[in-house]
Amino acid sequence: MASAFLNSHSLILRSDSLKTPQQPKLHFSSFTIKASSSSSSASSASNSGANVSLTGNNIEPVPSKHRRPADENIRDEARRHNTTHSHRFSAKYVPFNADPSSDESYSLDEIIYRSQSGGLLDVQHDMNALKNYDGKYWRNLFDSRVGKTTWPYGSGVWSKKEWVLPEIDGDDIVSAFEGNSNLFWAERFGKQFLGMNDLWVKHCGNSHTGSFKDLGMTVLVSQVNRLRKMHKPVVGVGCASTGDTSAALSAYCAAAGIPSIVFLPANRISLAQLVQPIANGAFVLSIDTDFDGCMQLIREVTAELPIYLANSLNSLRLEGQKTAAIEILQQFDWQVPDWVIVPGGNLGNIYAFYKGFHMCKELGLVDRIPRLVCAQAANANPLYLNYKSGWGEFKAVKANTTFASAIQIGDPVSIDRAVYALKNSNGIVEEATEEELMDAMAQADSTGMFICPHTGVALTALIKLVKSGVIAPTDRTVVVSTAHGLKFTQAKIEYHSNEIKDMTCRFANPPVQVNADFGSVMDVLKKYLLSKNPKC
C-alpha cells in the first residue's frame, strides 16, 4: 500500500510567506519618493539598476549605485568597504550559570568543551560594550541587513554578528545565507482546530540543509575555519547525530573544505537524513547503538584525536541558534509574542531561544520575554518527567523509538541549560504520544503545511495547553518547526496508508482506487464533492 501511495502521488511544497498590509495609494502631486537603502522598493530598484525619484507627475532618474568590479567577489567587496565594525565587541567562554565570583574564563580560540568542574560552558558577551548602543540602534542595524547580499550580513545569523562571534574575520565565515526563515501565519489550523487567530509557525526547516541546525553549524564551522588558519590542532570536525546535525555539519564542512566525521545510530534515521552527509562527502560511521551511545563514543574519540566536537555540548552552536528568537521579534516588528513552543531532545535549542530573547530584553530592544514551552515525545521524555516531579533530581531514561527521531534522546547533554531557561521564563514542559504527534502532523499538513514529526510534538503541546486553558485562544503563540517535512516522507506515507501498528491514523488520506472509466470516476467525484459541500 505504501508503495502504491508513493507511486500515485507527487508532493509539491509551497513556501508560504506573510501577507503584508495593503499600502495606501500615493498621489504623485503630494509626495516625493526617494530611493532609500532601508526600503524594499529602493532595494528592488537598486537591483534592477532603475532607481527613480517621483516628483509630481515627472519621473526623474536617480544615479544608480555602481556594481562591484567583475573580478571582485562579495568577500572582496566587504573587505574593501571594511563593513565589519565588531572589533569593539568581544566574547569568551565561561562556566554555565557560574557563581558571580568565579573568574574562570577561556578564549573562544581555545579548544575546550567543559569547565574545570566538568560542567557546561556558555559564551558570554561583553554586555557593557554592547550597552554603549541603545535598543533602537540594534533594532535598526539588524533590520537594515535583512535581505541583503552584503557579506556576511545576508545570513539571518551573521546579520547579528556582533551578538554571535564578534571577533571573527569575515574571511573566515562559512555561510550559506542561512536563517531568515518564514514566520507562517497558521490561520486555518489555528481557527479550525483551536479557535485561535494569532497562531504562527516559525519554519526553521526552510534552511540550507532543511533544519534549524544550520543556524548553529555556520557559527561552529566558521570558528573551526578560523582555528585551522591559526594552525590549531584540528584535523576535522565530528558529531553524533540522529540526522539533522550530520546534514548541517557535512554541508558546511564541505563548503569550507574541512573533513567531517559522523556517528549515526544504525537503522534509526530516515533515508533522507542519511543521504545528506553521504552526498556531502562526510566519513559516516553507522554504529549499532542509539544516539546516546553514539554521543558517548564521539566524546571519547574527540578526547583522544584532534577532531573538533560539533554536538550541542559545544556552546558555539547555541550562539547561532539564538538568532531564530531574534528573528521572531523582528518579524513581529519587535513586539513580543506571549508563547513560544520548542521541540526538545538534547535540549540546547530551548536555552538558545531563551538566550536570544533575554539578550534582546537586556539590551533594550524589547521590554519582556515570552513564556517558553518545551515539547517532548512521550517515548523520550526525561525533561518532562523532571518537570512533573517539581524539578527534583534529574534522571536519564532509555529513549524508546519515536517518529520524532531527532529528539529520541534519553540523556540530554543540555539538561541544565533547559531547566535554567524554563525556570527563568516561567516555562512549561509538555509531552506527546506517538499517535498524538502523528495526528497533529497530519492536521497541520491538511491546512497547507508540510511539517516534521517534531513539529507535531510541539503542536500537540499547544493543543493540550489550549484545551486546559493555560494558553488563551487570543494569545499570540509561535510554534517552532525544526526540520523540513520532506525529510520524513516515509512516516507520512505509513500514516496515510494506515500501516502504523496500533495507531488509528484518524486523519489518513489514502488515494482512492478507481476503475478507468468515465462513470466510475464521476461517481467517486460526486460522492466526494457532496461530502465536502453537503448543502449543494
Side-chain angles (χ1 to χ4, degrees):
M1 183 64 178
S3 176
F5 180 81
L6 182 61
N7 292 332
S8 63
H9 278 247
S10 60
L11 302 177
I12 301 175
L13 180 71
R14 181 178 297 277
S15 297
D16 293 300
S17 58
L18 298 179
K19 296 180 179 179
T20 56
Q22 185 176 357
Q23 299 297 318
K25 293 182 180 179
L26 298 178
H27 300 284
F28 290 169
S29 59
S30 305
F31 288 87
T32 298
I33 307 176
K34 293 185 177 180
S36 166
S37 60
S38 63
S39 70
S40 58
S41 59
S43 176
S44 175
S46 176
N47 290 337
S48 66
N51 293 354
V52 295
S53 173
L54 305 181
T55 306
N57 291 319
N58 299 319
I59 301 178
E60 301 174 0
V62 174
S64 297
K65 180 181 178 182
H66 292 296
R67 286 185 57 180
R68 64 176 181 272
D71 61 349
E72 181 181 67
N73 62 41
I74 56 175
R75 286 187 192 268
D76 298 329
E77 182 182 43
R79 195 182 304 114
R80 176 164 58 85
H81 288 295
N82 191 24
T83 56
T84 300
H85 304 291
S86 53
H87 61 272
R88 309 178 185 125
F89 310 110
S90 63
K92 60 186 177 182
Y93 292 124
V94 298
F96 172 73
N97 198 23
D99 187 281
S101 63
S102 171
D103 60 357
E104 183 183 352
S105 67
Y106 308 91
S107 165
L108 297 187
D109 293 333
E110 292 189 53
I111 301 173
I112 186 169
Y113 313 112
R114 292 280 193 179
S115 68
Q116 292 175 358
S117 66
L120 298 168
L121 293 173
D122 198 18
V123 175
Q124 183 184 83
H125 291 263
D126 183 350
M127 298 302 288
N128 289 330
L130 293 172
K131 286 178 180 177
N132 286 328
Y133 301 85
D134 63 12
K136 181 179 180 181
Y137 170 85
W138 291 116
R139 289 194 301 267
N140 290 340
L141 178 65
F142 295 160
D143 287 346
S144 73
R145 293 168 172 173
V146 174
K148 304 295 171 57
T149 58
T150 305
W151 185 264
Y153 302 125
S155 159
V157 172
W158 296 108
S159 64
K160 287 86 176 170
K161 180 177 182 294
E162 294 83 358
W163 292 21
V164 177
L165 276 188
E167 295 174 278
I168 194 169
D169 190 274
D171 278 353
D172 296 334
I173 290 174
V174 183
S175 173
F177 279 19
E178 52 289 308
N180 294 322
S181 56
N182 60 312
L183 190 59
F184 175 85
W185 180 30
E187 179 183 15
R188 186 176 161 213
F189 183 92
K191 289 179 179 178
Q192 181 173 336
F193 299 113
L194 295 167
M196 300 181 76
N197 64 359
D198 210 358
L199 174 63
W200 302 78
V201 177
K202 177 64 169 169
H203 280 296
C204 293
N206 291 0
S207 192
H208 181 55
T209 71
S211 87
F212 79 97
K213 300 293 178 70
D214 293 344
L215 304 178
M217 208 58 74
T218 180
V219 177
L220 184 139
V221 174
S222 294
Q223 180 64 8
V224 170
N225 197 34
R226 170 183 166 91
L227 295 176
R228 282 165 63 89
K229 290 182 180 181
M230 296 170 67
H231 305 292
K232 296 279 187 174
V234 179
V235 299
V237 190
C239 75
S241 178
T242 49
D244 292 330
T245 301
S246 64
L249 174 66
S250 60
Y252 283 88
C253 281
I258 299 172
S260 58
I261 300 98
V262 172
F263 287 18
L264 292 177
N267 304 315
R268 286 176 170 85
I269 69 170
S270 73
L271 186 62
Q273 291 172 302
L274 173 63
V275 75
Q276 287 182 281
I278 291 173
N280 285 136
F283 185 65
V284 179
L285 283 72
S286 180
I287 302 175
D288 187 20
T289 183
D290 58 11
F291 172 82
D292 295 315
C294 287
M295 187 67 225
Q296 179 62 35
L297 284 168
I298 193 70
R299 288 171 64 178
E300 292 173 359
V301 167
T302 53
E304 296 294 327
L305 296 175
I307 298 170
Y308 197 84
L309 181 62
N311 283 96
S312 57
L313 172 65
N314 189 315
S315 54
L316 282 175
R317 278 180 47 193
L318 306 186
E319 294 306 292
Q321 290 166 210
K322 77 184 181 189
T323 62
I326 306 170
E327 272 187 22
I328 289 172
L329 297 177
Q330 276 186 289
Q331 289 166 314
F332 283 132
D333 292 325
W334 302 101
Q335 296 179 7
V336 182
D338 299 300
W339 298 88
V340 175
I341 304 175
V342 185
N346 225 7
L347 303 181
N349 209 27
I350 189 72
Y351 175 68
F353 270 81
Y354 169 78
K355 191 172 185 180
F357 288 129
H358 185 263
M359 280 190 75
C360 286
K361 179 177 182 293
E362 188 173 0
L363 291 168
L365 285 75
V366 295
D367 59 2
R368 64 184 180 91
I369 67 172
R371 292 186 69 182
L372 298 180
V373 177
C374 189
Q376 290 208 293
N379 282 2
N381 63 349
L383 180 68
Y384 174 77
L385 296 175
N386 187 234
Y387 170 76
K388 296 300 284 186
S389 72
W391 299 123
E393 182 182 355
F394 174 77
K395 295 179 181 178
V397 302
K398 176 67 176 177
N400 294 314
T401 301
T402 171
F403 282 103
S405 57
I407 57 175
Q408 186 178 316
I409 299 169
D411 190 11
V413 167
S414 293
I415 177 64
D416 292 340
R417 292 171 175 148
V419 171
Y420 180 90
L422 290 161
K423 285 183 176 179
N424 284 279
S425 64
N426 193 19
I428 294 172
V429 187
E430 189 51 86
E431 68 172 355
T433 67
E434 292 302 288
E435 187 152 12
E436 287 171 338
L437 73 89
M438 292 297 283
D439 281 347
M441 180 175 70
Q443 288 175 293
D445 288 353
S446 74
T447 64
M449 289 184 270
F450 195 72
I451 62 169
C452 63
H454 318 87
T455 312
V457 174
L459 287 172
T460 298
L462 170 67
I463 292 167
K464 290 181 174 181
L465 291 171
V466 170
K467 287 183 176 179
S468 65
V470 175
I471 295 180
T474 54
D475 286 349
R476 173 171 284 181
T477 305
V478 179
V479 170
V480 176
S481 180
T482 54
H484 203 295
L486 285 172
K487 290 190 174 189
F488 300 92
T489 52
Q490 185 59 41
K492 293 175 183 288
I493 290 167
E494 291 174 7
Y495 180 92
H496 288 289
S497 302
N498 286 292
E499 291 185 354
I500 302 175
K501 185 179 179 181
D502 299 325
M503 189 175 291
T504 304
C505 302
R506 290 187 299 139
F507 304 98
N509 183 33
V512 178
Q513 300 294 325
V514 188
N515 292 329
D517 64 82
F518 178 78
S520 297
V521 170
M522 287 295 289
D523 288 344
V524 168
L525 284 176
K526 287 178 181 178
K527 183 178 179 180
Y528 168 76
L529 293 172
L530 283 172
S531 70
K532 294 296 181 181
N533 303 276
K535 295 182 180 180
C536 294

mmCIF file of all heavy atoms in Angstrom, residues 383-391 429:
data_model
loop_
_atom_site.group_PDB
_atom_site.id
_atom_site.type_symbol
_atom_site.label_atom_id
_atom_site.label_comp_id
_atom_site.label_asym_id
_atom_site.label_seq_id
_atom_site.Cartn_x
_atom_site.Cartn_y
_atom_site.Cartn_z
ATOM 1 N N LEU A 383 13.047 15.328 30.385
ATOM 2 C CA LEU A 383 12.789 16.673 30.892
ATOM 3 C C LEU A 383 11.364 16.793 31.403
ATOM 4 O O LEU A 383 11.110 17.410 32.447
ATOM 5 C CB LEU A 383 13.049 17.715 29.799
ATOM 6 C CG LEU A 383 12.806 19.167 30.208
ATOM 7 C CD1 LEU A 383 13.840 19.621 31.243
ATOM 8 C CD2 LEU A 383 12.831 20.098 28.994
ATOM 9 N N TYR A 384 10.418 16.207 30.687
ATOM 10 C CA TYR A 384 9.020 16.243 31.112
ATOM 11 C C TYR A 384 8.859 15.584 32.482
ATOM 12 O O TYR A 384 8.175 16.112 33.374
ATOM 13 C CB TYR A 384 8.145 15.531 30.074
ATOM 14 C CG TYR A 384 6.696 15.395 30.483
ATOM 15 C CD1 TYR A 384 5.834 16.479 30.404
ATOM 16 C CD2 TYR A 384 6.201 14.180 30.955
ATOM 17 C CE1 TYR A 384 4.494 16.354 30.790
ATOM 18 C CE2 TYR A 384 4.876 14.047 31.335
ATOM 19 C CZ TYR A 384 4.028 15.139 31.250
ATOM 20 O OH TYR A 384 2.709 15.009 31.633
ATOM 21 N N LEU A 385 9.499 14.435 32.666
ATOM 22 C CA LEU A 385 9.408 13.739 33.953
ATOM 23 C C LEU A 385 10.039 14.567 35.065
ATOM 24 O O LEU A 385 9.522 14.620 36.190
ATOM 25 C CB LEU A 385 10.080 12.370 33.854
ATOM 26 C CG LEU A 385 9.440 11.374 32.873
ATOM 27 C CD1 LEU A 385 10.274 10.102 32.789
ATOM 28 C CD2 LEU A 385 8.002 11.052 33.276
ATOM 29 N N ASN A 386 11.140 15.240 34.755
ATOM 30 C CA ASN A 386 11.795 16.097 35.736
ATOM 31 C C ASN A 386 10.892 17.281 36.104
ATOM 32 O O ASN A 386 10.782 17.658 37.278
ATOM 33 C CB ASN A 386 13.124 16.579 35.171
ATOM 34 C CG ASN A 386 13.966 17.337 36.174
ATOM 35 O OD1 ASN A 386 14.401 18.455 35.935
ATOM 36 N ND2 ASN A 386 14.210 16.739 37.333
ATOM 37 N N TYR A 387 10.232 17.850 35.118
ATOM 38 C CA TYR A 387 9.313 18.979 35.346
ATOM 39 C C TYR A 387 8.134 18.542 36.204
ATOM 40 O O TYR A 387 7.741 19.237 37.152
ATOM 41 C CB TYR A 387 8.841 19.504 33.989
ATOM 42 C CG TYR A 387 7.715 20.502 34.046
ATOM 43 C CD1 TYR A 387 7.931 21.820 34.433
ATOM 44 C CD2 TYR A 387 6.412 20.122 33.689
ATOM 45 C CE1 TYR A 387 6.889 22.740 34.479
ATOM 46 C CE2 TYR A 387 5.370 21.025 33.726
ATOM 47 C CZ TYR A 387 5.613 22.332 34.123
ATOM 48 O OH TYR A 387 4.575 23.239 34.152
ATOM 49 N N LYS A 388 7.563 17.380 35.892
ATOM 50 C CA LYS A 388 6.399 16.902 36.642
ATOM 51 C C LYS A 388 6.759 16.547 38.079
ATOM 52 O O LYS A 388 5.889 16.550 38.950
ATOM 53 C CB LYS A 388 5.786 15.677 35.944
ATOM 54 C CG LYS A 388 5.224 15.959 34.561
ATOM 55 C CD LYS A 388 4.110 16.990 34.574
ATOM 56 C CE LYS A 388 2.811 16.420 35.091
ATOM 57 N NZ LYS A 388 1.682 17.377 34.962
ATOM 58 N N SER A 389 8.042 16.282 38.332
ATOM 59 C CA SER A 389 8.479 15.973 39.701
ATOM 60 C C SER A 389 8.778 17.237 40.497
ATOM 61 O O SER A 389 9.241 17.150 41.639
ATOM 62 C CB SER A 389 9.722 15.084 39.666
ATOM 63 O OG SER A 389 10.866 15.820 39.252
ATOM 64 N N GLY A 390 8.535 18.395 39.890
ATOM 65 C CA GLY A 390 8.824 19.656 40.569
ATOM 66 C C GLY A 390 10.281 20.031 40.499
ATOM 67 O O GLY A 390 10.821 20.649 41.425
ATOM 68 N N TRP A 391 10.923 19.667 39.391
ATOM 69 C CA TRP A 391 12.353 19.948 39.179
ATOM 70 C C TRP A 391 13.202 19.276 40.268
ATOM 71 O O TRP A 391 14.160 19.846 40.770
ATOM 72 C CB TRP A 391 12.654 21.445 39.135
ATOM 73 C CG TRP A 391 11.979 22.213 38.056
ATOM 74 C CD1 TRP A 391 11.161 23.277 38.209
ATOM 75 C CD2 TRP A 391 12.068 21.998 36.632
ATOM 76 N NE1 TRP A 391 10.720 23.748 37.004
ATOM 77 C CE2 TRP A 391 11.262 22.973 36.002
ATOM 78 C CE3 TRP A 391 12.728 21.066 35.833
ATOM 79 C CZ2 TRP A 391 11.105 23.051 34.614
ATOM 80 C CZ3 TRP A 391 12.569 21.136 34.456
ATOM 81 C CH2 TRP A 391 11.772 22.124 33.857
ATOM 82 N N VAL A 429 6.718 22.297 30.458
ATOM 83 C CA VAL A 429 7.117 21.156 29.642
ATOM 84 C C VAL A 429 5.881 20.294 29.411
ATOM 85 O O VAL A 429 5.124 20.024 30.339
ATOM 86 C CB VAL A 429 8.228 20.322 30.307
ATOM 87 C CG1 VAL A 429 8.735 19.241 29.347
ATOM 88 C CG2 VAL A 429 9.384 21.213 30.761
#
